[in-house]
Amino acid sequence: MTAWLRGNRWGLALVIPALLLALAANSLRLQLFWWTYKPHVATSGVQGKPVHFAEDFDDFDGHWHRALDLTVTSVTTVAAPRDPDGKPIDDARTPAEAQWVKVSMHVAASPTAVLFGCRLSLLDASGRETEYTDGNLVDSDYLPISPCIPDAHQGPVSGGPKAQGDAVEAGPRPAAYDVDAYVLTARGFRPTAVRLQWTPPRYVQIALPTT
Amino acid sequence: MTSIASRIPVRSRVGTGILIVAALSLGRVVTDHMPGQDRHERPFTTAAKVGQTVHLRTGDVVVTKVDGGKAIATPIEADASPGLWVAIDFTWTPRADTSVLGYKVVRTTTGDTYDSLLGRNVSFCGNSIPGLPESCRMAVEMPPDRMPGAVVDIAPVFDSPGYDSLATVDLGITDETVKKWQARTDVVKIPMNTVGTGS
C-alpha cells in the first residue's frame, strides 16, 4: 500500500487542485445567475454631503462611463406631489394607507453623462424598499419617468453620437441642478436611506439622519 | 522497446479497467437519477380558493372575485370574444419590495394556459408598494368548454415563476357558471387598478 501511495504521490497530490479547479470553473454560473442583477457594490454617503459616484455601463450604442456628484439635501413627508413645473398635482387620489415622500437632490454631472433611466428607492430600518414609479395614482404624464434629472432638460439617453446630438438639440442638461422626486409609500414608512442606481451591481446609497 | 503498460502486471491492468468502468457506470446512474430541469426549477405552489389570502414569499395575494361574459370593456377599448372572457379581481400587497404581479396565467384541467399578457387579454396592475394593497382586474378569453375547473397561477414575476412561490387559485367555475356567462348580454367592465382599500 505504501509503495502504491509513493508510486502515485504526484497523481494524488494533483487531485486536490483538480477538485478546486473544477469548483472554481463552475462558480461562473453562480455569478451569472445572481450577482450582476442585484445591487451589491455600494457607494455610501450621508444626507447633506456630496457623494461621487462613477460606473461603466453598456447600452445598444457601446460602452460608456457615467460619473456624478450627488447630494440628497432633504427627505420629507408631504401631502401631495408636484409636477416638474412645481405645480401641485390635484388629482392625486392618495388613499388613507399611503403617504408621499419628497426627496430633494442636488446633482453635478457633465451634460453629456447619461443619467436617464435612474431608479430611485427608499429603504427603511427593516429593509423594506419602496421604489419610485411614475404611474401610481396620478396620471403618469405628471411625474417624470426618471426621478433624478430635470424633466425639461433630461440630457442624453445613451452615450452614442445620435443620442448626444438629440440632447444638445433639446437643450443640454445643466452641469448642476436641483431636482425633487415624489415617492408614494405606505403610511408610516420611515425612510432611513435613499438608494439610486442605473446599472447593477453598482449603486449609491445615502443614509438619512435618524429623527 | 518496452511500453509502460507492459511493465504493469496484467492483474493490475484488469483491476484498473474494472474500476474505470465502475466509476463511469456510477456516474451514469447518478446523472440519470438527478432531478430534471422541470423539477429543480419548479415553483413552491400554494393552492387556494377565491377569497383566501395566499402568503407568497414577497407578499400576500388574494383573488376576490371571478366573473365572466362574452364582452369586456376597459377604459381604453371594448372586445367581444367568440369564446368567453373570464375576469379575475385580485389584491396584491408586497411585503418588502416594490413589485408587479406580472405572472397571471389561467390554466385548464388539461394543462392549456391563457396568459394575461398575451393576445387580446388585459390586465391593469401597476408597481405595487410594500405595505400598500393594490387591486386590479385581469381578463383572458378562452374556449367555454375548457373553463370548468380552471385555476389561475399568480406570481410577482414577469417570466417564469420557477424557484419562487406561486399561488394557484381555483376559480370555482362549473358548467352552470359557463352557461350563465354565455347567456349574459351586458359587458364585463375592466377598471384601472386602485391603490389602497378605498377607505
Side-chain angles (χ1 to χ4, degrees):
Chain A
M1 191 65 185
T2 35
W4 182 84
L5 283 176
R6 198 175 302 125
N8 291 289
R9 61 186 185 277
W10 291 115
L12 285 169
L14 280 171
V15 166
I16 292 160
L19 280 175
L20 290 176
L21 191 69
L23 275 175
N26 271 293
S27 67
L28 79 104
R29 298 175 60 175
L30 202 67
Q31 144 129 21
L32 276 180
F33 211 92
W34 302 110
W35 188 255
T36 52
Y37 295 105
K38 294 281 180 184
H40 288 295
V41 186
T43 302
S44 304
V46 292
Q47 183 180 324
K49 292 220 173 78
V51 170
H52 183 75
F53 176 68
E55 65 179 353
D56 289 331
F57 67 100
D58 295 306
D59 66 13
F60 48 87
D61 268 345
H63 185 77
W64 315 104
H65 184 73
R66 157 190 302 131
L68 65 144
D69 290 301
L70 168 75
T71 315
V72 170
T73 48
S74 76
V75 176
T76 50
T77 307
V78 294
R82 287 169 181 265
D83 71 14
D85 297 329
K87 289 198 208 88
I89 299 173
D90 297 331
D91 68 347
R93 303 168 295 272
T94 311
E97 305 98 322
Q99 67 184 18
W100 290 93
V101 176
K102 176 185 169 189
V103 180
S104 300
M105 293 168 281
H106 179 79
V107 179
S110 158
T112 59
V114 180
L115 302 185
F116 184 86
C118 72
R119 287 170 61 187
L120 183 147
S121 58
L122 299 170
L123 288 91
D124 77 356
S126 65
R128 284 199 295 180
E129 184 174 3
T130 302
E131 212 175 298
Y132 168 90
T133 62
D134 60 341
N136 266 316
L137 294 180
V138 296
D139 196 325
S140 53
D141 293 346
Y142 288 109
L143 293 178
I145 298 170
S146 290
C148 59
I149 46 176
D151 198 53
H153 301 285
Q154 306 194 349
V157 295
S158 158
K162 166 132 188 6
Q164 292 287 346
D166 289 350
V168 171
E169 212 169 289
R173 192 180 57 222
Y177 58 87
D178 291 304
V179 65
D180 296 331
Y182 292 88
V183 186
L184 186 71
T185 74
R187 183 163 288 276
F189 181 91
R190 289 168 163 274
T192 55
V194 175
R195 182 180 281 186
L196 215 61
Q197 55 181 310
W198 283 266
T199 313
R202 289 185 190 280
Y203 65 99
V204 55
Q205 186 155 322
I206 308 296
L208 306 177
T210 44
T211 44
Chain B
M1 197 179 86
T2 348
S3 73
I4 295 171
S6 67
R7 278 192 277 127
I8 299 168
V10 174
R11 201 164 59 106
S12 181
R13 267 187 283 163
V14 171
T16 308
I18 289 172
L19 275 178
I20 288 170
V21 171
L24 288 173
S25 314
L26 183 70
R28 184 59 197 252
V29 168
V30 170
T31 322
D32 282 353
H33 285 80
M34 287 289 275
Q37 197 156 18
D38 55 334
R39 191 170 149 83
H40 71 241
E41 282 181 1
R42 77 193 189 286
F44 298 87
T45 305
T46 307
K49 289 189 164 65
V50 173
Q52 279 179 342
T53 301
V54 178
H55 305 288
L56 297 179
R57 185 179 63 82
T58 54
D60 297 333
V61 67
V62 55
V63 170
T64 50
K65 193 182 165 202
V66 178
D67 201 1
K70 275 192 267 191
I72 57 163
T74 74
I76 301 155
E77 58 178 337
D79 276 314
S81 175
L84 269 182
W85 290 95
V86 56
I88 304 164
D89 290 9
F90 50 86
T91 302
W92 164 239
T93 315
R95 208 167 289 130
D97 296 303
T98 301
S99 63
V100 185
L101 269 195
Y103 189 84
K104 302 180 293 287
V105 174
V106 173
R107 187 159 46 82
T108 68
T109 50
T110 52
D112 305 324
T113 54
Y114 299 87
D115 193 323
S116 67
L117 297 175
L118 302 178
R120 300 194 297 172
N121 300 338
V122 290
S123 151
F124 295 112
C125 297
N127 288 298
S128 308
I129 293 152
L132 203 53
E134 173 154 10
S135 302
C136 45
R137 176 176 280 192
M138 62 175 267
V140 301
E141 62 179 328
M142 53 194 288
D145 59 327
R146 299 191 190 184
M147 281 185 161
V151 296
V152 61
D153 289 332
I154 305 177
V157 292
F158 268 109
D159 38 11
S160 137
Y163 308 109
D164 209 336
S165 56
L166 171 82
T168 295
V169 183
D170 186 344
L171 297 173
I173 303 172
T174 61
D175 293 332
E176 283 68 45
T177 327
V178 172
K179 276 191 199 119
K180 205 172 78 189
W181 288 350
Q182 279 174 316
R184 265 180 86 162
T185 50
D186 61 328
V187 169
V188 180
K189 289 218 161 60
I190 312 294
M192 297 302 283
N193 54 329
T194 56
V195 179
T197 50
S199 57

